[in-house]
Amino acid sequence: MFPIIQRLIVSPKRLLIDNLRIDTQTIDLKKHNELKIMKTKKILSTLLTWLPSVIILVFFIPNALHKVLRPSQLKKIITNNTALIMIGIFLLIASAMFLYKKTMLIGTTFLASYMTLIVCIHMYKGKPYEVAILIVMATIFAAYIRKPQLFHEK
């Protein structure tokens, strides 16, 4: 038989096997795409969950380091260098607790309490305090996004 005609004549069994191969490859490709989409969703979910916390810590950590490393250069209500260093250490510990999942509620409470005191001081001195209030709200919001179960009654 001629090779061209031989290619055209395909047994039903071979045709079935070829269709199964194509179907199997299609299913594998669909599964692969679904897995890629699921991984991407998981990465985006994690990134969006941690983003507010990172933004909050970008404010608190430099503030704490500035209090610890250069307390004499600050013109604050508290002029005692030791007190400023202690406040800086407190902020660093509270920030670390805010990052760790098991102590996040305590860290959030410490950071929000500190900023609430800052709001009160700004109000007393007649300085603008709106940004400090937003930082308090953002701190609580970031904790809520990371672990909403903490804010619901059991």
Side-chain angles (χ1 to χ4, degrees), residues 123-138:
M123 290 172 75
Y124 177 75
K125 293 188 97 184
K127 292 183 176 180
Y129 54 88
E130 292 82 7
V131 174
I133 290 175
L134 288 175
I135 293 171
V136 173
M137 292 170 43

Side-chain angles (χ1 to χ4, degrees), residues 10-28:
V10 177
S11 68
K13 185 177 181 183
R14 181 164 179 193
L15 186 61
L16 181 66
I17 290 173
D18 286 344
N19 283 340
L20 284 175
R21 282 187 196 140
I22 291 171
D23 287 344
T24 306
Q25 289 173 353
T26 306
I27 290 170
D28 288 343

